[in-house]
Amino acid sequence: MDGWLNTWWSNHTADISSNTAGFAGAFGQWAIGDPDWSCRDDGSSSDCDFDPCDSRVLNDKGNDIRPAYYTMESVNRLHAYFTGMGQAFEVASIGAALSKDSWATVFYKDKDVKSVTVLREVINAITTVIGIGAAFGGLGGAVAGAAASSLNSLFTGAAAVATPLIGQHQDDTFQKSADLGGILGKIVLEAMKSYIAANNLLMHGDNFESSGDIRSYLKGGLFLAFPGVDKVALIDSMNAFLTGQAINQLWRTQKIFIMGGGACGDGQGIGSGPQDHSVCRDGKAWYLYYWQENDVVSTTAHQWGWMAAPPGADQLDAGTNYPGVTVADVINSSLDSYNVARYSYNADTAASRAEDALSSGWGNPGSKGASWEGVFTVPVCDVGWAVGSTLQGKDFILQPYDHDSRPVWCGPVCTGNLQTTKDFIAAANMNNFDSPKHLCDQPPGY
């Protein structure tokens, strides 16, 4: 069908140009004798309908009947996609789910107020989230990769409209009373409203942003069997992405990290982690940690702080106020981010990886929600190498959550590599922090 449509387009450029409805009008005139087949999003519920069994014009097209029908059906369902996206984003569920007035008090406890840049970092990631949402809405039960070029157009087109909106919010800063969720929801709703307007441009035959004309969206037959937008799944996915991104950026300003790499269940002589905030993956255990700095005057060892659950982790456990995001999502997403780019996974990495996943067909970001790579980038330290080593204090590398839990890292604890350990220490906001060295006979080098 792709080649046939390109040939038809080349042979009817004059018809497309002269018809007030552009491509859709010209094609409707040629295929079914209806010059008003505009498929515009103008409030009409019938301007994209057609009955192939009751069209003398279509049934007289000979060898062109089948590709003409498939093209009209694809155009009609693409129009239904934009209509469905519009209906999904008319609801207030995104704003309601994200508009919490307690973000900072729930997920932020650090003594130093570093959060002035948090909102900007979250905003930088929104273009990718919007693109993922648009592609996910277009799948409609299809398998990612079945029509990868069309999915890529959905991704790039939606992401493109978010860029100018993001520029309008670059001066916003996140303070403890800021309505982070309200701003996120506003940007998403504004962007999707602009994206939905793409229907009219595409139906007219125009190029939309960097995603191409309507042929880019129809390529590969993605919309031939499109059943419609799963609005509930789409909103849930978008909420999970945005909530996860916001929590991640708040946590990334604090001493929050992931350690593990030993056997699930521990017992290998490198300590024992908090089982209730862990993931067993490929036979290895990974634990989510927060170095809780002492918040009372003390002359005991507690002045250095202790290992605790990150602020707000209990809210994720409850699954009530921030649904769609779990501690397992945090760990799995962060592990995937680490495996791709170590401690340098940023908004550009997220965009390129999501676009590649959709265009190459190796992943469906929308279906994975908050567990998709890049939603969380909590620094990871693989200490599995220490099993069987002679590293001093290795029995205390991993610790449970406890007021008396103070780990010991007497060397290159991360992969056995000093530079990796230094990079981890920096990423976890622990530079110039000496507590993990407190029982080391020799300076550990980081």
Side-chain angles (χ1 to χ4, degrees):
M1 189 184 82
D2 297 339
W4 181 89
L5 181 57
N6 285 332
T7 299
W8 184 93
W9 194 290
S10 298
N11 292 337
H12 294 83
T13 53
D15 296 333
I16 294 173
S17 298
S18 62
N19 194 293
T20 57
F23 161 72
F27 198 88
Q29 173 71 66
W30 176 84
I32 58 175
D34 183 1
D36 296 322
W37 195 72
S38 67
C39 296
R40 287 182 55 81
D41 186 359
D42 57 6
S44 171
S45 60
S46 60
D47 65 357
C48 206
D49 293 344
F50 73 101
D51 183 356
C53 298
D54 190 32
S55 174
R56 180 187 59 79
V57 176
L58 178 61
N59 292 322
D60 285 344
K61 291 296 180 184
N63 291 335
D64 289 326
I65 292 177
R66 183 183 296 271
Y69 165 74
Y70 284 154
T71 297
M72 293 198 77
E73 188 67 33
S74 293
V75 171
N76 177 277
R77 296 193 182 209
L78 177 63
H79 176 68
Y81 160 78
F82 282 112
T83 302
M85 293 291 282
Q87 292 169 351
F89 285 92
E90 282 174 1
V91 301
S93 56
I94 280 191
L98 294 170
S99 294
K100 314 290 185 185
D101 59 5
S102 56
W103 282 87
T105 57
V106 171
F107 296 102
Y108 187 87
K109 287 185 180 178
D110 211 330
K111 294 185 298 184
D112 301 322
V113 180
K114 309 184 188 81
S115 54
V116 67
T117 62
V118 167
L119 181 58
R120 294 176 187 171
E121 293 301 316
V122 176
I123 287 174
N124 286 339
I126 286 184
T127 54
T128 300
V129 175
I130 290 171
I132 287 172
F136 184 54
L139 279 168
V143 178
S149 57
S150 293
L151 287 174
N152 194 50
S153 293
L154 298 182
F155 176 90
T156 56
V161 301
T163 302
L165 295 172
I166 287 170
Q168 297 170 18
H169 292 275
Q170 284 298 313
D171 291 331
D172 290 328
T173 57
F174 178 73
Q175 302 296 344
K176 291 190 175 182
S177 61
D179 183 6
L180 174 60
I183 295 172
L184 292 179
K186 180 179 180 182
I187 294 175
V188 172
L189 292 173
E190 288 174 350
M192 294 312 301
K193 183 178 180 180
S194 298
Y195 175 59
I196 293 160
N199 175 87
N200 293 347
L201 290 173
L202 292 170
M203 296 303 168
H204 193 266
D206 299 328
N207 189 304
F208 177 64
E209 298 292 344
S210 58
S211 61
D213 61 38
I214 193 170
R215 288 172 291 178
S216 298
Y217 285 69
L218 301 181
K219 189 178 294 184
L222 174 66
F223 288 97
L224 270 175
F226 180 64
V229 175
D230 187 337
K231 297 162 193 163
V232 174
L234 173 61
I235 293 299
D236 287 348
S237 177
M238 295 286 280
N239 281 342
F241 267 91
L242 291 166
T243 300
Q245 291 278 3
I247 294 170
N248 181 63
Q249 293 303 332
L250 287 168
W251 278 2
R252 287 302 311 276
T253 67
Q254 303 167 81
K255 294 178 176 64
I256 294 173
F257 51 89
I258 293 166
M259 297 192 92
C264 300
D266 299 324
Q268 292 186 298
I270 57 173
S272 179
Q275 301 301 316
D276 55 342
H277 283 164
S278 67
V279 162
C280 181
R281 174 166 154 166
D282 300 325
K284 297 181 178 181
W286 302 93
Y287 304 99
L288 180 64
Y289 285 111
Y290 169 54
W291 199 298
Q292 169 69 64
E293 295 190 57
N294 188 38
D295 53 5
V296 296
V297 177
S298 175
T299 57
T300 69
H302 297 149
Q303 67 182 300
W304 297 100
W306 55 89
M307 301 301 269
D314 59 329
Q315 295 289 316
L316 302 186
D317 294 337
T320 303
N321 292 325
Y322 302 92
V325 182
T326 66
V327 168
D329 291 333
V330 176
I331 296 175
N332 282 316
S333 174
S334 296
L335 285 172
D336 289 339
S337 302
Y338 172 78
N339 289 334
V340 169
R342 291 302 185 259
Y343 309 112
S344 301
Y345 201 110
N346 57 25
D348 291 336
T349 312
S352 64
R353 290 283 292 174
E355 187 170 355
D356 184 61
L358 292 167
S359 61
S360 300
W362 58 262
N364 177 5
S367 67
K368 294 196 69 174
S371 67
W372 176 253
E373 68 174 63
V375 175
F376 286 93
T377 58
V378 176
V380 173
C381 178
D382 186 345
V383 301
W385 73 277
V387 175
S389 75
T390 59
L391 182 71
Q392 181 191 0
K394 68 175 185 176
D395 291 348
F396 304 100
I397 294 177
L398 298 174
Q399 293 279 287
Y401 298 152
D402 189 87
H403 192 252
D404 294 318
S405 291
R406 190 174 167 206
V408 180
W409 303 339
C410 292
V413 290
C414 302
T415 71
N417 182 277
L418 183 57
Q419 187 58 54
T420 299
T421 302
K422 288 180 177 179
D423 293 342
F424 165 76
I425 292 291
N429 303 297
M430 295 178 70
N431 277 334
N432 304 314
F433 189 63
D434 293 332
S435 187
K437 312 173 186 178
H438 68 290
L439 291 180
C440 302
D441 292 340
Q442 301 292 331
Y446 57 81

